[in-house]
Amino acid sequence: MNPTEDAGREQRHQERMQRKKAVIDAAIARADQDKGLLLVLTGNGKGKSSSAFGMLARALGHGMHVGVAQFIKGRSDTGEEAFFRQQTGVIWHVLGEGFTWDTQNLARDIETARQAWVVARQLLQDASLGLVVLDELTYPIKYGWLPLETVLADLAARPPMQHVVITGRAAPDGLCAVADTVTELNDVKHAFRAGVRAQKGVDL
Ligand code: ATP
Ligand code: MG
């Protein structure tokens, strides 16, 4: 390439970048609202809960107080729980223990879910919490243990600046409809299918 062609290419690149910057700056200038966001992280791919815990770290980094309610999961040996419980300003509830996968006792599951929601609702009523993570909440809704209407009503009644992150596969349409941000994680490949068990620091 001779020097004239080179200069022309540089000029075109600069013009293209200037146009791009103008579009991006205009979009940034348009987004001038603040509000408590409802985020849904769904889909079959790995990374829903990890992403939620990443936001938890961000919020704590800004000095915010946060709450977590874990549905379904009975285990309390995850790295995230161990880590976040050591931080100040964290409320952490593991609410999944009572679900009866084995006996498939619907009435008991509904009662367990109802009790779990009473605890989760307290987080949604606590204006000191800037971010609330409702981890795996989609499952009790999907199995019919927890009415979607109850969840939507309590989400709508939360403090206006409180952010909420909900994770779990198959998020109901009604939930996605009221959410501000919905991300579907796609399962392209997962090591588990190649025979690798859950690895500390990555999967738990
Ligand atoms: P993570 O907690 O790792 O962010 P997740 O919240 O997206 O995962 P869950 O359905 O909650 O996914 O599953 C939690 C556990 O199952 C993790 O150990 C994760 O690695 C594993 N997992 C997630 N997606 C898959 C998948 N598609 N196949 C097999 N295992 C998975
Ligand atoms: Mg998860």
Side-chain angles (χ1 to χ4, degrees):
M1 207 181 287
N2 66 42
T4 324
E5 274 176 9
D6 217 19
R9 195 173 168 217
E10 180 61 32
Q11 165 111 25
R12 283 195 303 282
H13 174 74
Q14 252 183 38
E15 284 167 5
R16 212 166 41 236
M17 287 301 123
Q18 269 163 12
R19 283 197 299 275
K20 206 180 180 110
K21 184 170 165 20
V23 170
I24 292 170
D25 286 350
I28 290 172
R30 268 197 305 277
D32 60 356
Q33 302 170 45
D34 293 311
K35 69 174 284 204
L37 295 171
L38 176 60
L39 300 97
V40 173
L41 300 167
T42 192
N44 294 337
K46 173 188 162 54
K48 300 176 288 294
S49 299
S50 325
S51 169
F53 298 137
M55 283 180 259
L56 212 60
R58 282 184 169 169
L60 287 171
H62 288 293
M64 293 157 72
H65 286 206
V66 300
V68 177
Q70 292 195 290
F71 294 80
I72 307 301
K73 246 182 215 99
R75 66 191 309 166
S76 249
D77 61 347
T78 59
E80 57 267 25
E81 184 178 350
F83 176 78
F84 285 112
R85 274 195 191 279
Q86 288 168 15
Q87 315 304 311
T88 47
V90 178
I91 299 173
W92 194 290
H93 297 292
V94 177
L95 303 170
E97 235 128 5
F99 293 110
T100 52
W101 300 106
D102 305 328
T103 57
Q104 297 175 8
N105 181 336
L106 181 64
R108 220 193 103 181
D109 286 338
I110 288 173
E111 182 50 27
T112 305
R114 201 190 59 76
Q115 287 172 14
W117 189 251
V118 169
V119 176
R121 180 187 283 138
Q122 285 167 5
L123 302 178
L124 297 175
Q125 291 175 341
D126 185 344
S128 75
L129 301 178
L131 178 72
V132 171
V133 174
L134 303 174
D135 192 33
E136 327 269 84
L137 174 64
T138 59
Y139 302 104
I141 299 171
K142 190 172 120 191
Y143 293 125
W145 303 335
L146 188 61
L148 177 61
E149 298 68 36
T150 304
V151 172
L152 295 184
D154 288 319
L155 286 170
R158 77 189 192 277
M161 282 311 297
Q162 185 184 73
H163 305 301
V164 177
V165 185
I166 294 174
T167 80
R169 298 179 187 203
D173 291 342
L175 180 63
C176 294
V178 301
D180 299 286
T181 297
V182 180
T183 300
E184 187 164 278
L185 290 97
N186 185 20
D187 181 12
V188 176
K189 205 189 225 190
H190 195 290
F192 181 71
R193 289 199 291 283
V196 185
R197 71 182 83 175
Q199 297 292 301
K200 272 187 188 167
V202 173
D203 295 305
L204 73 157

